[in-house]
Amino acid sequence: MTGRVVVIGVGNPFRRDDGAGPAVVEALRARVPEGTVLTDSDGEPGRMLGLWHRQDAVVVVEVVHAHPGQPGRLHTLTAERAARCAARSASTHALGLGETFALAAALDRMPRELTVHAVEGTDFRLGHGLSPPVADALPALIRHVARAIDHAHDRLRGIGGEPMAHEASA
């Protein structure tokens, strides 16, 4: 295996639905294959780029605002699609994931493979706990990310062939 599988839960658990990414990472701690790196991030671009190497397969878990939105709806995006959506979506962070990926590409710091699993959020006020639509979607999001981790390990070992281009959106 030449790279690692790095899972990054982006968000702030003190801002209600923004805590979905870190909640998924926490839920996966006892369930991931050996060699999986699980971490949280506040989404700051420089810190995000420091979490992966070029040969890694990276899975980012994030909550997003969508306009019009459907809280609890799940999305799976490639880095390229996330970058294209940056102008149409909003993040609770200073720069969104699209801008982070564009910066990584400009600096030649993109990982070998990068997929974003996101849930649409509704409540970003200060406080703990996810809104009901996001909490209801969390088990499905955890399953999606767990499958993505397994597939990424397979691809890095050469079992699954070429990296999959996950690109589904509502």
Side-chain angles (χ1 to χ4, degrees):
M1 183 183 310
T2 59
R4 309 169 300 166
V5 176
V6 179
V7 182
I8 305 169
V10 178
N12 180 346
F14 299 106
R15 294 203 50 214
R16 310 268 310 158
D17 286 348
D18 198 38
V24 169
V25 165
E26 190 57 36
L28 291 169
R29 288 216 183 270
R31 313 173 37 176
V32 295
E34 187 176 328
T36 304
V37 177
L38 296 173
T39 188
D40 295 334
S41 174
D42 63 2
E44 193 280 322
R47 286 191 286 275
M48 290 281 291
L49 271 59
L51 294 174
W52 66 66
H53 303 134
R54 288 182 42 100
Q55 68 274 19
D56 294 339
V58 176
V59 179
V60 175
V61 187
E62 167 73 293
V63 65
V64 295
H65 296 268
H67 304 286
Q70 181 182 334
R73 180 170 44 182
L74 300 179
H75 299 270
T76 301
L77 306 168
T78 61
E80 295 80 18
R81 174 126 174 117
R84 285 194 313 265
C85 292
R88 297 190 321 247
S89 64
S91 172
T92 60
H93 316 291
L95 291 177
L97 288 177
E99 291 90 353
T100 299
F101 301 152
L103 177 62
L107 296 174
D108 197 27
R109 292 287 316 273
M110 284 299 287
R112 173 181 180 176
E113 175 180 333
L114 195 149
T115 304
V116 178
H117 289 275
V119 60
E120 291 183 29
T122 185
D123 185 353
F124 299 93
R125 297 173 295 162
L126 292 177
H128 282 92
L130 304 172
S131 67
V134 174
D136 290 346
L138 207 61
L141 182 58
I142 292 167
R143 284 191 304 275
H144 285 276
V145 174
R147 276 195 304 270
I149 292 167
D150 290 341
H151 290 228
H153 277 288
D154 288 347
R155 286 189 302 280
L156 287 174
R157 286 191 301 263
I159 296 170
E162 293 299 312
M164 292 189 315
H166 293 290
E167 189 168 321
S169 67

